[in-house]
Amino acid sequence: MEKLIITAALTGAEVTREQQPNLPLSPEEIAEAAYEAYKAGASIVHVHARDKDGNPTQDYEVYKEIKEKIEEKCPVIFQPSTGGATWHTPEERLQPVKLSPEMATLSCGTCNFGPDVFMNSQEYIDEFATEMKTMGVKPEIEVFERGMINNAKRLVKKGLVDAPIHFDFVMGVPGAITGEIRDLLYMVESIPEGSTWTVAGIGRYELPLATTAIMLGGHVRVGFEDNIYYKKGELAKSNAQLVERISRLAEELGREVATPEEARKILGIKK
Ligand code: KMH
Ligand code: ZN
């Protein structure tokens, strides 16, 4: 089996310090969390920026500072969000792509997102994909519902995304697909042959889906964006603690963990 790529989703746009006191917010804190996650086995960090008040921002300069600070510390793959928060405009959301990062997320459809709606019209999906192609950015296709896989296949047909596609199944967002294992199997069976995939289980779904992905040959995303607990009723101490557990499980299950360099090869990223 291919080595395991672990992504650490460090901050997200929704979680607050009130909910998770160790949430990294400033560029310094996010870079330090990235370094700790890298040491624990992460080869990709998925990043959402926050402003000085801790609110989600898609500001180019803030992402630039985070990217540079991470690069000073370690060779982990920097993957900014283009999803931002549900209230960000498409123009705001696209800003970090202008940094020409190795990867960025590309959400491939609209869905309910708790009490909000996460809007991704066909027009904007195409625009985001075009911009990523122009900037040489490998998209991680964010899939919150089964139909979004079809939208990603459409992008390949239009020449806006190169195959093989790399998917991230985000499972367990209230209002979108649940994180039951049978749903993951359905998603995995539905993607084109040769694709790679990772799974981000939200909340209590994180651990069972991660373990299943390790055994199925998929990849794993963990971190405070998706889940703030280590176990029921016990907050995690850090993103790195969640990554460490996945590295340990992989070891126990006989799956080696990829370095960033190996992850680049698996994903076809040329540095
Ligand atoms: N915060 C969500 C509305 C992404 O990072 O690309 C969208 C999200 C997806 O987190
Ligand atoms: Zn995100």
Side-chain angles (χ1 to χ4, degrees):
M1 232 182 243
E2 217 161 44
K3 289 194 180 179
L4 177 73
I5 300 172
I6 305 175
T7 300
L10 303 170
T11 304
E14 290 80 24
V15 181
T16 64
R17 270 274 167 83
E18 284 68 44
Q19 296 166 317
Q20 173 44 270
N22 299 318
L23 186 72
L25 295 177
S26 68
E28 290 76 15
E29 289 165 355
I30 292 173
E32 186 57 27
Y35 178 54
E36 295 297 325
Y38 159 72
K39 284 195 297 183
S43 46
I44 301 176
V45 287
H46 171 67
V47 172
H48 284 253
R50 299 291 181 102
D51 65 17
K52 294 230 169 340
D53 299 320
N55 297 315
T57 177
Q58 287 296 106
D59 186 77
Y60 173 89
E61 292 300 333
V62 184
Y63 273 100
K64 183 166 181 282
E65 193 179 343
I66 296 169
K67 180 173 183 282
E68 288 170 358
K69 286 196 159 46
I70 292 175
E71 281 168 357
E72 277 167 25
K73 286 180 184 282
C74 61
V76 74
I77 298 167
F78 170 73
Q79 181 201 83
S81 168
T82 68
T86 51
W87 42 266
H88 283 131
T89 65
E91 291 72 26
E92 285 175 300
R93 285 168 52 183
L94 251 183
Q95 290 181 78
V97 173
K98 299 191 178 4
L99 285 165
S100 205
E102 292 180 272
M103 294 184 91
T105 51
L106 173 55
S107 291
C108 269
T110 297
C111 62
N112 283 28
F113 201 93
D116 304 313
V117 175
F118 185 32
M119 272 298 298
N120 293 287
S121 69
Q122 199 175 90
E123 181 191 351
Y124 288 124
I125 296 169
D126 286 6
E127 188 188 327
F128 280 33
T130 304
E131 185 73 6
M132 288 188 201
K133 189 145 208 196
T134 308
M135 300 303 288
V137 177
K138 166 96 179 175
E140 177 173 282
I141 302 292
E142 306 292 297
V143 169
F144 297 77
E145 285 288 3
R146 164 66 179 84
M148 297 187 192
I149 294 172
N150 297 338
N151 293 338
K153 284 161 75 174
R154 205 189 115 262
L155 291 175
V156 173
K157 240 189 183 156
K158 281 188 86 175
L160 299 180
V161 166
D162 293 328
I165 305 175
H166 177 60
F167 290 96
D168 176 28
F169 304 129
V170 186
M171 303 181 65
V173 170
I177 197 166
T178 76
E180 304 298 331
I181 288 171
R182 62 151 193 239
D183 288 330
L184 176 63
L185 298 176
Y186 178 46
M187 296 294 233
V188 174
E189 281 167 12
S190 305
I191 58 178
E193 224 184 297
S195 306
T196 49
W197 61 273
T198 189
V199 67
I202 304 301
R204 67 185 171 86
Y205 293 119
E206 184 170 88
L207 194 54
L209 288 178
T211 312
T212 309
I214 295 170
M215 295 189 296
L216 289 178
H219 304 283
V220 172
R221 182 174 109 172
V222 292
F224 287 166
E225 173 165 349
D226 303 330
N227 167 44
I228 57 176
Y229 292 99
Y230 191 73
K231 54 172 106 132
K232 195 168 181 208
E234 183 184 318
L235 286 171
K237 291 189 183 69
S238 63
N239 281 288
Q241 188 191 23
L242 296 169
V243 173
E244 255 161 34
R245 171 163 61 184
I246 300 303
S247 296
R248 211 166 51 240
L249 279 169
E251 165 84 31
E252 288 292 334
L253 295 168
R255 185 110 185 256
E256 279 184 74
V257 174
T259 63
E261 212 34 62
E262 289 165 340
R264 287 184 178 94
K265 282 214 180 79
I266 293 167
L267 298 173
I269 296 172
K270 290 162 215 79
K271 211 187 172 194

